[in-house]
Amino acid sequence: MSDQMLILIAIAGIFLLLFLVIKTKLHAFVALLVVSLIVGILAGMPLNHVVETMQEGMGGTLGFVAVVVGLGAMFGQMLEVSGGADRLAKTMINKFGEDKAQWSLGITGFLVAIPVFFDVGFIILVPIVYGLAKKTGRSLLYYGIPLLAGLAVTHSFIPPTPGPIAVAELVGADLGWVILFGALAGIPSMIIAGPLFARYISKRLHVVVPDYMNTEEVEYDRDLPSFQLIATIILIPLVLILLNTFSGVLLDDDHIVKQILTFLGHPFVALTIATILTFIFLGTKRGYTRQEVQDIANKGLEPAGIIILVTGAGGVFKQILIDSGVGDVIGNMMAGSNLPPILLAFLIAAAVRVAQGSATVSMVTAAGLVSPLISILNLEGPVLGLIVIAIASGATVLSHVNDSGFWLVGRYFGLDVKDTLKSWTVMETLIGLVGLGVALLLGIFIS
């Protein structure tokens, strides 16, 4: 089959995927499987090979992603139920003072979203934003935008949140580099899209707490855990993974310290340690029974299941592209472009994001399309971490009416569509553009 025909098949497959998700409202998991089947058949793969490839793509992806996302979800649920997120926010506001509450909320969101899903973290912490806005008389956006920026940055850039975990697995990036580059890109993104943008937009949009939102701060049946405990538990897996990455650069393979750090810093081990610590220090040590801890962990796995399956289907799509030969054609075409791979990855993710709305689906789809380019250009090591950040940045920009986050923020802040576009959409786009800029800048030094 000619290269031109394979390219047409790939383009048709992408448009079919967008049609199924947007127009027919078919679940992304099913849509990705359907498109993978059709692309494989049209590309001339033997029918039995199509099914075998789908199985290989699903199994290869979920062997890593399911464990990491599952552990992260239980970790996050324990943090939520124990009041750990509330403790972080209240301690940060007390330390910074109300006059610098913007910064404390941005940092709190940045930390909370590492183990807790974006929407959950927002719903838990938004009463604090309401209280500050009522007390000071400032626009709700003055405090709300920094919190949203902190949550959104970590949700997009820093594992073990599902998006970067999925992309890292699909493109073969080391999680240590993703965490490091995610932090380097995320901090300026949070500052610019959070406190700085909030000061600008709050002067132009004075938003008060909606009358229909009578949300009160959550009452916990136990005292809140300490700030030091929560911060330590959150940082333990990140530090272990980073030490693993750095030991691979600085130490020989047969060095005993490297072998220990490689074991402890593997995401499976690091997150298992962190999750067990949450069960003990946020669970049984604080009066929860073992059965209650198990019930909390089970509840955390419920939303994770959807993300795991969508990511697995993204692995199927990627494997079909590779085994059918479509991926090589796409990769060669992109390799012939004058654009750097980091920018290409961003543009592909941004295009899918604008078309269908879901950041996770955008990341997974873009990673599947970019992975052949990585093989053709023999990209490896730290640069793959920058590819992950570029894809995450592209999947963050231009959130609009087809994104559930758009409506969540609009409702909680009482914004109409026009004002949500002026505030939330601009904030998301700033995060994506700053993230891309940092990735490109780092790419100059790494290359």
Side-chain angles (χ1 to χ4, degrees):
M1 187 175 293
S2 68
D3 288 354
Q4 290 80 0
M5 183 59 68
L6 289 174
I7 290 175
L8 287 175
I9 290 171
I11 293 172
I14 294 168
F15 276 105
L16 177 60
L17 174 63
L18 296 176
F19 173 79
L20 292 174
V21 173
I22 298 169
K23 294 295 184 182
T24 70
K25 303 300 181 184
L26 188 64
H27 195 284
F29 171 65
V30 180
L32 280 162
L33 294 180
V34 169
V35 171
S36 298
L37 277 170
I38 292 173
V39 169
I41 293 169
L42 292 178
M45 294 176 67
L47 296 181
N48 63 329
H49 189 37
V50 171
V51 177
E52 290 171 358
T53 296
M54 292 180 69
Q55 183 176 343
E56 179 186 350
M58 178 69 76
T61 302
L62 292 190
F64 178 81
V65 171
V67 176
V68 175
V69 173
L71 287 169
M74 290 188 287
F75 178 9
Q77 186 69 21
M78 203 72 230
L79 188 71
E80 173 195 345
V81 171
S82 69
D86 247 359
R87 168 58 71 198
L88 284 175
K90 290 175 179 176
T91 301
M92 294 298 295
I93 289 173
N94 287 337
K95 290 203 177 282
F96 277 80
E98 286 188 5
D99 57 328
K100 295 181 180 177
Q102 282 188 309
W103 296 92
S104 61
L105 286 168
I107 295 170
T108 298
F110 193 92
L111 291 173
V112 166
I114 293 173
V116 177
F117 290 124
F118 170 86
D119 51 351
V120 175
F122 175 61
I123 292 168
I124 290 172
L125 297 175
V126 75
I128 296 174
V129 173
Y130 289 167
L132 286 168
K134 288 178 180 177
K135 187 174 182 179
T136 63
R138 291 183 180 272
S139 171
L140 202 56
L141 298 178
Y142 185 82
Y143 300 107
I145 289 294
L147 173 63
L148 288 169
L151 291 167
V153 161
T154 313
H155 178 75
S156 296
F157 292 162
I158 301 181
T161 52
I165 284 286
V167 179
E169 173 62 15
L170 291 171
V171 304
D174 181 282
L175 279 190
W177 292 120
V178 177
I179 291 171
L180 177 61
F181 296 147
L184 292 175
I187 292 171
S189 298
M190 185 275 288
I191 292 171
I192 292 171
L196 297 184
F197 175 62
R199 291 181 184 180
Y200 170 84
I201 194 64
S202 62
K203 293 177 182 176
R204 287 154 180 80
L205 288 176
H206 187 80
V207 181
V208 297
V209 179
D211 294 335
Y212 56 79
M213 294 304 298
N214 296 316
T215 305
E216 298 180 357
E217 291 194 42
V218 178
E219 294 292 333
Y220 297 97
D221 55 2
R222 293 166 175 80
D223 292 337
L224 297 180
S226 71
F227 175 84
Q228 291 82 359
L229 175 62
I230 297 301
T232 300
I233 292 176
I234 289 174
L235 292 175
I236 279 174
L238 302 183
V239 171
L240 288 174
I241 293 170
L242 283 170
L243 288 175
N244 173 22
T245 299
F246 293 149
S247 70
V249 175
L250 301 174
L251 301 175
D252 296 330
D253 290 342
D254 57 353
H255 198 293
I256 185 63
V257 174
K258 180 183 184 301
Q259 294 174 12
I260 293 172
L261 291 177
T262 298
F263 174 75
L264 293 177
H266 190 284
F268 289 4
V269 178
L271 279 168
T272 297
I273 291 171
T275 303
I276 291 174
L277 290 175
T278 63
F279 290 166
I280 295 172
F281 291 103
L282 300 182
T284 54
K285 290 284 188 182
R286 303 189 68 249
Y288 290 98
T289 66
R290 292 179 182 178
Q291 183 60 50
E292 286 174 329
V293 171
Q294 186 181 78
D295 292 341
I296 292 169
N298 287 338
K299 185 178 179 183
L301 289 174
E302 292 173 5
I306 297 173
I307 295 167
I308 290 169
L309 288 175
V310 170
T311 303
V316 170
F317 183 52
K318 167 197 167 184
Q319 201 62 43
I320 285 287
L321 289 176
I322 291 172
D323 288 4
S324 67
V326 174
D328 286 339
V329 175
I330 295 174
N332 285 320
M333 182 177 67
M334 288 191 289
S337 168
N338 292 324
L339 297 177
I342 291 172
L343 182 56
L344 273 173
F346 171 87
L347 292 174
I348 292 170
V352 181
R353 161 71 154 173
V354 171
Q356 59 79 45
S358 168
T360 301
V361 175
S362 303
M363 290 186 193
V364 168
T365 305
L369 293 171
V370 170
S371 58
L373 172 66
I374 292 170
S375 298
I376 290 169
L377 296 180
N378 293 317
L379 300 177
E380 58 184 11
V383 71
L384 296 182
L386 294 177
I387 295 288
V388 173
I389 300 305
I391 290 174
S393 298
T396 301
V397 300
L398 298 173
S399 166
H400 60 96
V401 295
N402 60 2
D403 178 15
S404 59
F406 180 93
W407 298 106
L408 176 73
V409 172
R411 172 165 177 76
Y412 271 84
F413 286 174
L415 301 170
D416 58 22
V417 171
K418 180 181 177 182
D419 288 344
T420 310
L421 287 168
K422 289 180 179 178
S423 53
W424 163 258
T425 302
V426 173
M427 182 206 80
E428 285 276 89
T429 304
L430 285 172
I431 290 172
L433 292 177
V434 175
L436 170 65
V438 173
L440 289 170
L441 183 61
L442 291 172
I444 294 172
F445 295 102
I446 288 174
S447 61

